[in-house]
Amino acid sequence: MNNLQGWLNIYKPVGISSFTVVRKIKKKFQINKVGHGGTLDPLAEGVIPIAIGKATKLIPFINNEMKEYEFEIKWGEQTSTDDAEGETICTSNYIPSAEEIQNKLKEFIGEIFQKPPRASAIKIGGKRAYRLFRENKDFEIKEKKVFIHSTEIIDLSNPLIAKIRIKCGKGFYIRSFARDFAESLNTKGHTNFLKRIQVGKFTSKNSNLLDDLLKIRQT
């Protein structure tokens, strides 16, 4: 089946890496050339475009497309990974009010500077940051300019958690946003839940569950 080419719109479940998704598809359908557009953390779920064959050459263009996420920020705790997987490294007793959250969120539109999480796929001296992090190496990550198209509050009914929707550009880290947004509200926070619902024209509504794809019988 090595002559196959094109795109798959896969919905990645929680608990596996983007690389694992690629590996499972390669193994199941015996395809040599498979790649993905836009890395999703193991704790995140959602849309991940999978390129097959010559379509892998188009991955840089997919990565430039607008992305949309729904996520939760848990107030009061900053973690080493900026999500629920890491150890708590700093706490705050201050919980921002719904009005404070709504007003501050309006300021996060357009270009902002953001420092990627230490446990991320960004390369530092040719090595992935998450590998350096796991090896307890001392390293520094530089800030970079990213773009936010729009923000929207989904739910503030739980005072300890804010559920938010964001449309953003290339290289944006939701975990970094959660950390920095909490700091801007004079508290601490981390991403408690993360779901990507769109990458360009790839949406969760027309995606295929990875497990369903892997159950397809080859002929």
Side-chain angles (χ1 to χ4, degrees):
M1 300 185 72
N2 291 333
N3 60 339
L4 289 178
Q5 55 186 315
W7 290 91
L8 293 171
N9 183 7
I10 298 299
Y11 194 95
K12 186 188 86 67
V14 172
I16 64 173
S17 68
S18 299
F19 175 75
T20 300
V21 174
V22 169
R23 181 174 56 78
K24 284 178 177 288
I25 292 173
K26 287 180 74 172
K27 182 178 180 181
K28 169 68 178 179
F29 299 104
Q30 299 177 0
I31 305 170
N32 290 332
K33 208 166 187 181
V34 182
H36 65 82
T39 301
L40 270 181
D41 300 324
L43 287 187
E45 64 181 79
V47 172
I48 179 165
I50 298 294
I52 296 173
K54 293 180 180 179
T56 54
K57 296 179 180 179
L58 301 175
I59 288 175
F61 298 98
I62 291 295
N63 287 338
N64 286 332
E65 294 281 355
M66 185 188 71
K67 300 173 179 67
E68 185 173 356
Y69 297 88
E70 291 180 357
F71 60 100
E72 292 179 352
I73 302 176
K74 184 178 180 181
W75 306 115
E77 298 175 357
Q78 182 181 349
T79 70
S80 57
T81 56
D82 298 316
D83 63 13
E85 189 175 34
E87 298 178 358
T88 300
I89 58 174
C90 198
T91 62
S92 172
N93 292 323
Y94 184 70
I95 304 299
S97 67
E99 184 178 5
E100 287 176 309
I101 296 168
Q102 290 168 336
N103 290 335
K104 182 61 69 173
L105 194 61
K106 295 174 184 176
E107 299 176 13
F108 283 79
I109 296 292
E111 287 186 341
I112 65 169
F113 282 94
Q114 184 183 78
K115 184 178 289 189
R118 292 177 65 78
S120 64
I122 194 167
K123 284 189 175 181
I124 307 293
K127 202 167 185 179
R128 299 291 183 185
Y130 64 79
R131 293 192 182 280
L132 297 174
F133 174 79
R134 289 171 184 168
E135 294 168 4
N136 293 316
K137 296 290 179 64
D138 186 26
F139 63 98
E140 187 62 35
I141 297 180
K142 294 180 180 179
E143 281 189 332
K144 62 177 183 175
K145 192 181 293 183
V146 293
F147 194 87
I148 299 176
H149 293 273
S150 66
T151 59
E152 178 187 353
I153 290 173
I154 300 174
D155 186 15
L156 296 177
S157 59
N158 183 344
L160 297 178
I161 292 175
K163 190 169 185 179
I164 297 171
R165 181 182 294 117
I166 266 187
K167 291 183 179 180
C168 56
K170 179 183 179 182
F172 192 90
Y173 279 91
I174 296 296
R175 286 182 290 149
S176 295
F177 175 84
R179 177 196 67 214
D180 298 343
F181 187 55
E183 290 280 357
S184 75
L185 288 163
N186 300 311
T187 187
K188 302 297 179 183
H190 66 270
T191 302
N192 191 49
F193 164 82
L194 175 59
K195 175 170 68 174
R196 186 161 67 194
I197 58 178
Q198 183 174 357
V199 179
K201 294 182 179 180
F202 296 84
T203 69
S204 57
K205 291 181 180 178
N206 58 26
S207 64
N208 299 285
L209 295 174
L210 177 62
D211 285 349
D212 288 347
L213 179 73
L214 297 176
K215 289 175 185 175
I216 294 175
R217 299 179 71 178
Q218 291 176 245
T219 58

